[in-house]
Amino acid sequence: DGGITQSPKYLFRKEGQNVTLSCEQNLNHDAMYWYRQDPGQGLRLIYYSQIVNDFQKGDIAEGYSVSREKKESFPLTVTSAQKNPTAFYLCATWDFSGANVLTFGAGSRLTVL
Amino acid sequence: GQSLEQPSEVTAVEGAIVQINCTYQTSGFYGLSWYQQHDGGAPTFLSYNALDGLEETGRFSSFLSRSDSYGYLLLQELQMKDSASYFCAVRDGTGFQKLVFGTGTRLLVSP
């Protein structure tokens, strides 16, 4: 089945630690995105990548880093510089079909202890 | 930049019709989308309007008025499973392939 796999589903981190969230897709979509969602809030864009080896900052990139070495993979690292990292993180892809259709992974919930 | 406004919460009973409004501000317009998200789940695409008028997909319809920078999602014959958050979204005004989301409307459907 085609889709987006995010791992881990739940992650606990101590303050001061970096963590990396995985996002893998087999949809053959060029563009990939990371969004952050806080309770009762909308989705805010962290980083996005339209092609391999290229990515751009979104609205809340501070304290985060990404890489795009393969079309299928777009990992997100939450660094210790991110002051309030506890949130629900969603990875998505866009197939450029004309309609504004993002396909989302199941998400990773990060909790800082 | 872009901004979208939605009501924070709407309540309705099973079988009823509910309308969720969205007003937006964007420097360029490339369509209005709607997404549904159940608690703890991922958002899923519902509908897309690029031109004025009504788009119907089963029990769900979406309307757009570009002159008013306004759209709505209409849910008919409400079911308990429709209880979820609904987000409107517009593409970045620069034309880049990224979406900006509203803060969402939580729909509570009661028996």
Side-chain angles (χ1 to χ4, degrees), chain B residues 75-86:
Chain B
L75 297 84
Q76 303 182 34
E77 302 173 15
L78 281 174
Q79 302 175 10
M80 296 292 289
K81 67 178 183 180
D82 297 328
S83 291
S85 292
Y86 293 84

Side-chain angles (χ1 to χ4, degrees), chain A residues 11 28 37 48 60 65 72 74 82 88 104 109-111:
Chain A
L11 183 62
N28 200 34
Q37 187 174 33
Y48 63 105
I60 56 165
S65 66
E72 300 79 15
F74 192 41
Q82 169 50 232
F88 189 44
F104 285 87
R109 191 169 298 279
L110 172 63
T111 302

Side-chain angles (χ1 to χ4, degrees), chain B residues 1-2 5 11-12 15 27 29-30 40 43 47-49 65-66 71 74 79 83 93-94 99 103 108-109:
Chain B
Q2 298 78 46
E5 288 191 17
T11 60
S27 54
F29 183 73
Y30 301 90
S47 67
Y48 168 72
N49 295 71
S65 170
R66 289 174 294 171
L74 190 73
Q79 302 175 10
S83 291
T94 62
L99 288 188
T103 52
L108 301 173
V109 180

Side-chain angles (χ1 to χ4, degrees), chain A residues 33 35 37 94 96 100 102 105, chain B residues 30 33 35 37 42 97 99:
Chain A
Y33 305 79
Y35 284 90
Q37 187 174 33
W94 193 333
F96 296 152
N100 297 342
L102 285 176
Chain B
Y30 301 90
S33 303
Y35 287 78
Q37 184 182 31
Q97 302 282 5
L99 288 188

Side-chain angles (χ1 to χ4, degrees), chain A residues 13 15-16 36-39 41 44 46 60 62-64 78-89 110-113:
Chain A
R13 187 194 97 174
E15 283 192 25
R36 169 181 171 144
Q37 187 174 33
D38 294 283
Q41 299 295 311
R44 293 183 291 167
I46 305 172
I60 56 165
E62 185 176 351
Y64 300 97
V78 184
T79 74
S80 56
Q82 169 50 232
K83 299 187 186 312
N84 185 20
T86 294
F88 189 44
Y89 291 88
L110 172 63
T111 302
V112 174
L113 305 174

Side-chain angles (χ1 to χ4, degrees), chain A residues 23-26 28 32 52 68 70-74:
Chain A
C23 178
E24 301 282 331
Q25 58 112 349
N26 60 7
N28 200 34
M32 298 188 72
V52 174
R68 188 83 187 276
K70 300 185 301 182
K71 185 175 183 176
E72 300 79 15
S73 179
F74 192 41

Side-chain angles (χ1 to χ4, degrees), chain A residues 9-28:
Chain A
K9 189 171 178 64
Y10 298 97
L11 183 62
F12 297 90
R13 187 194 97 174
K14 294 182 180 179
E15 283 192 25
Q17 288 182 334
N18 292 356
V19 293
T20 297
L21 307 180
S22 171
C23 178
E24 301 282 331
Q25 58 112 349
N26 60 7
L27 299 169
N28 200 34

